[in-house]
Amino acid sequence: MTITELMPFSVLVPLIASLVCALLPGRFWPWAVTLAAAIASAIIAALTLPAAAQTTLSYAFGNWPPPIGIEYRVDAANAFVALLVAGMAAITLPWAKKSVDKEVPERQGTFYALFLLALAGLLGITLSGDAFNIFVFLEISSLATYGLIAYGSDRRALLASFRYLIMGTVGATFLLIGIGFLYVMTGTLNLHDLSERLPEVRDTSTVRAALAFIIVGMGLKLAMLPLHLWLPNAYTYAPSFVTVFLAGTATKVALYVMLRFVFTVFAPDWSFVVLPLSTVLMILGVAGMFAGSWVAMFQPNIKRMLAYSSVAQVGYMVLGVSLVSVVGLTAAFLHLFNHALMKAALFMAVGTVIYQVGSARIEQFRGLGRTMPWTLTAFALAGLSIIGVPLTAGFISKWYLIQAALDQGQWVLVALILITSLMAIIYIWRVIEAAWFKQREPDQQAVGEAPLTLLIPTWVLVALNFYFGIDTRLTVGGATAAAEALLSGGLLP
Amino acid sequence: MMTALSFFNYWVVVILMMIGFYCVIARGNMVKKIMGLNLFQTSVFILFISAGKIVGGSTPILREGVEVYSNPLPHVLILTAIVVGIATTAVGLALAVRINEAYGSIEDDYIAEEEDGDGQ
């Protein structure tokens, strides 16, 4: 079996395992099957990345040759994102066991089946080379996500899920309209084939409208600033494990789809000229960085604070894209990877606190630095990464972002990036202040350190934050290859 | 002949889409929101199906004496999209039922008041 034949299994394994999972009773086996499927997926994705970085892998489903059949077409860009998604699932699942047992005591078979569907959907989006297939996988992962969010114990989880369903469906339908317009103009749905046939017809209002629809649709899914309204509630009220996984993967995959369309399908020398994309994305990115960080500073609920911080981090990625250069795109891909690491570590630390204390409100963090030193130290160290302190992964991505801005002489952007990093210090500091410099109130319950099954996965992610801050061969190498793969389609404007 | 009327299907698509979108945004009742979402999705289905029709084309079945036939692919795609739409509606309605159990209402205004009571 060659790597090309193996690669589709990273989608098929979770898809089939979800069926098995839905039928399993009890609490242990659904989780065990999910973990095994996620690890298998991650291993396949890890094997795919080096092969895809050398040549583009293409697998034709059912042996129907593309562009007629559905093709999985994997280059450095999707292999990088697929490794991130499958890897995050495999790393966070060991943590999930205890947290999910507490927050979702019943019907865990269905819960893990939905999780596997979401995972299969996200991986399908990244690997597929067929536009309509991407839409179907997007809806598979979204529908599973709505179900997962509704599992939250607070009744507001239902509202958050419903609102996400409305906005997410509108976003996905916009993508469908865009794909429809492209199909009408070219008669093909294969992304590679589209990129070859589009240049002949692209100076028509239909194709321009398609570009606009796809950008707005994916902007919704990716929580780009004015379209981010679904995200804070969804992240706040979902079960902790769902938040950890979504924060690490869902918005990243949406960003990937947007980049795939803007850069590969419509060449950047067209898409960035016909629409003022560079300006629009830059303004929205910077606005997202500021608004997200600003609102995060005043949130009494730490999960919601981190959710707004995610809106800000998406801003950094969008800003990297808006610079339309290899370094800028590299920064976007780097931040996509590093942000998944740091935000998952932060949400896991907060989830551990919720496991012990039962709430993520800032008052509940008082004095925890002494009674739960390992959990809160993990939070503080992952916080350093989100601020962008040297030797952490967050520093590397901000470094590349600043370099990309400097290459174009955009001094203002550099200042803005530094200011928003200072705002990150403030919101992370609030937690540290409560945890170490305030006493626990007498009426608050005293808690001890969390169990090791929660601490070890959290610390693995914290360690990865520092590892990828020092040894950047995998991340920078992968991100550069991904950026070059996307830009190979067309010349820069 | 290219008149405004020859784009009849597309006019219907635009009108349906806007009615659906308006319902999603303006209606406070969650079931009505889902109905709006359905209209919105259906309009896109009509867009795809209309694009597959070829004037004077027959049904896409291989038989004697037929040279021109409509494009069958949009129909197949939309069959899938309809399934996705039904799944979305089902999940949305299931959530509406759960919200009704939790809040005693599916009206946005009423729930917003309740939500304020829940605190942060």
Side-chain angles (χ1 to χ4, degrees):
Chain A
M1 191 183 252
T2 63
I3 187 71
T4 313
E5 288 161 351
L6 187 67
M7 168 261 291
F9 277 94
S10 61
V11 181
L12 293 177
V13 168
L15 201 60
I16 295 164
S18 76
L19 273 177
V20 179
C21 235
L23 301 173
L24 287 174
R27 288 179 164 200
F28 176 73
W29 286 107
W31 171 78
V33 169
T34 309
L35 181 65
I39 290 177
S41 250
I43 291 173
I44 297 169
L47 291 174
T48 312
L49 180 60
Q54 285 172 355
T55 52
T56 304
L57 307 176
S58 163
Y59 181 85
F61 264 87
N63 217 7
W64 294 93
I68 291 168
I70 289 172
E71 179 194 20
Y72 274 16
R73 194 178 175 86
V74 180
D75 60 16
N78 16 9
F80 188 69
V81 180
L83 176 61
L84 172 73
V85 173
M88 286 307 293
I91 294 176
T92 55
L93 267 167
W95 183 87
K97 180 79 183 87
K98 267 205 173 304
S99 175
V100 172
D101 276 351
K102 189 153 191 170
E103 293 180 24
V104 188
E106 283 170 4
R107 286 182 294 170
Q108 286 194 357
T110 330
F111 178 84
Y112 282 113
L114 283 177
F115 171 78
L116 281 171
L117 276 180
L119 175 65
L122 291 173
L123 284 168
I125 299 169
T126 41
L127 295 183
S128 182
D130 183 275
F132 194 79
N133 206 225
I134 287 179
F135 163 75
V136 174
F137 273 122
L138 183 77
E139 284 291 52
I140 290 177
S141 75
S142 303
L143 285 168
T145 310
Y146 309 145
L148 286 172
I149 292 169
Y151 261 97
S153 47
D154 194 305
R155 64 178 180 170
R156 280 169 289 181
L158 298 169
L159 285 182
S161 172
F162 187 84
R163 285 174 190 157
Y164 183 21
L165 179 135
I166 297 287
M167 297 186 83
T169 307
V170 171
T173 310
F174 268 38
L175 178 72
L176 184 62
I177 298 172
I179 292 171
F181 283 164
L182 291 183
Y183 178 71
V184 168
M185 291 310 288
T186 59
T188 180
L189 288 165
N190 185 296
L191 293 184
H192 181 67
D193 206 30
L194 270 174
S195 69
E196 284 176 354
R197 292 199 199 178
L198 264 179
E200 294 168 27
V201 292
R202 67 188 181 182
D203 290 314
T204 53
S205 50
T206 313
V207 179
R208 284 194 286 268
L211 174 66
F213 270 115
I214 289 170
I215 286 174
V216 174
M218 290 333 292
L220 250 166
K221 280 280 166 195
L222 129 95
M224 200 161 65
L225 180 70
L227 308 169
H228 69 284
L229 292 169
W230 58 269
L231 186 140
N233 277 334
Y235 280 17
T236 310
Y237 300 119
S240 300
F241 170 57
V242 176
T243 311
V244 168
F245 181 70
L246 288 185
T249 53
T251 49
K252 277 76 187 166
V253 170
L255 180 70
Y256 157 76
V257 175
M258 189 164 160
L259 295 182
R260 179 59 83 189
F261 273 98
V262 169
F263 284 94
T264 309
V265 175
F266 311 98
D269 57 353
W270 179 80
S271 55
F272 278 83
V273 174
V274 69
L275 286 183
L277 258 193
S278 197
T279 323
V280 171
L281 289 180
M282 193 177 287
I283 291 171
L284 293 182
V286 170
M289 281 154 53
F290 263 93
S293 307
W294 179 259
V295 179
M297 292 196 295
F298 303 101
Q299 291 304 319
N301 184 320
I302 300 304
K303 248 176 133 181
R304 183 181 285 267
M305 176 192 97
L306 292 177
Y308 276 107
S309 156
S310 275
V311 175
Q313 307 298 320
V314 166
Y316 288 114
M317 296 172 215
V318 172
L319 179 64
V321 175
S322 76
L323 294 168
V324 216
S325 63
V326 175
V327 188
L329 261 187
T330 307
F333 269 103
L334 264 177
H335 204 57
L336 185 146
F337 191 92
N338 292 341
H339 174 244
L341 292 180
M342 50 198 170
K343 200 44 80 57
L346 285 169
F347 271 124
M348 277 159 95
V350 173
T352 310
V353 171
I354 293 175
Y355 180 81
Q356 291 293 87
V357 183
S359 160
R361 290 186 61 84
I362 183 106
E363 307 91 66
Q364 293 292 342
F365 279 74
R366 286 184 175 186
L368 285 187
R370 287 183 204 87
T371 51
M372 297 175 69
W374 287 97
T375 313
L376 270 294
T377 310
F379 184 93
L381 290 177
L384 289 182
S385 188
I386 213 156
I387 293 163
V389 174
L391 294 184
T392 61
F395 173 73
I396 304 293
S397 39
K398 280 192 183 155
W399 176 255
Y400 272 82
L401 192 57
I402 288 175
Q403 265 193 345
L406 281 183
D407 280 351
Q408 306 192 357
Q410 303 261 26
W411 287 95
V412 183
L413 286 183
V414 177
L416 292 174
I417 293 166
L418 292 178
I419 293 171
T420 50
S421 300
L422 292 177
M423 289 160 92
I425 299 182
I426 296 175
Y427 61 72
I428 295 293
W429 173 254
R430 287 172 59 227
V431 178
I432 294 175
E433 187 187 345
W436 271 283
F437 296 94
K438 285 195 177 144
Q439 293 295 330
R440 214 153 171 74
E441 302 279 322
D443 58 329
Q444 284 179 319
Q445 65 180 116
V447 287
E449 188 52 90
L452 278 178
T453 37
L454 291 176
L455 282 179
I456 292 173
T458 313
W459 273 91
V460 167
L461 266 177
V462 171
L464 282 179
N465 265 302
F466 280 86
Y467 177 77
F468 286 121
I470 297 162
D471 178 7
T472 58
R473 276 173 302 184
L474 173 70
T475 48
V476 174
T480 314
E484 279 166 358
L486 279 185
L487 284 171
S488 65
L491 296 167
L492 290 179
Chain B
M1 195 173 68
M2 298 286 262
T3 61
L5 212 58
S6 68
F7 291 109
F8 179 71
N9 283 21
Y10 297 98
W11 287 115
V12 171
V13 168
V14 171
I15 292 166
L16 270 185
M17 187 182 283
M18 287 306 117
I19 294 175
F21 207 38
Y22 176 80
C23 278
V24 172
I25 294 167
R27 291 289 149 192
N29 186 305
M30 292 184 171
V31 174
K32 288 181 185 165
K33 269 186 198 291
I34 292 176
M35 285 178 182
L37 206 61
N38 272 327
L39 265 182
F40 183 63
Q41 287 181 313
T42 309
S43 72
V44 181
F45 301 162
I46 299 175
L47 171 75
F48 267 74
I49 302 277
S50 310
K53 172 68 183 168
I54 291 170
V55 179
S58 117
T59 45
I61 299 169
L62 199 61
R63 56 174 189 259
E64 288 288 317
V66 173
E67 293 293 322
V68 183
Y69 52 89
S70 296
N71 186 350
L73 188 67
H75 297 76
V76 183
L77 297 180
I78 289 316
L79 218 52
T80 315
I82 288 173
V83 175
V84 169
I86 288 172
T88 312
T89 311
V91 174
L93 288 176
L95 281 171
V97 170
R98 291 271 312 273
I99 289 170
N100 192 34
E101 283 170 5
Y103 287 87
S105 170
I106 48 169
E107 290 288 341
D108 253 359
D109 298 342
Y110 179 81
I111 290 170
E113 280 173 28
E114 286 275 300
E115 219 179 353
D116 292 337
D118 281 353
Q120 276 289 326

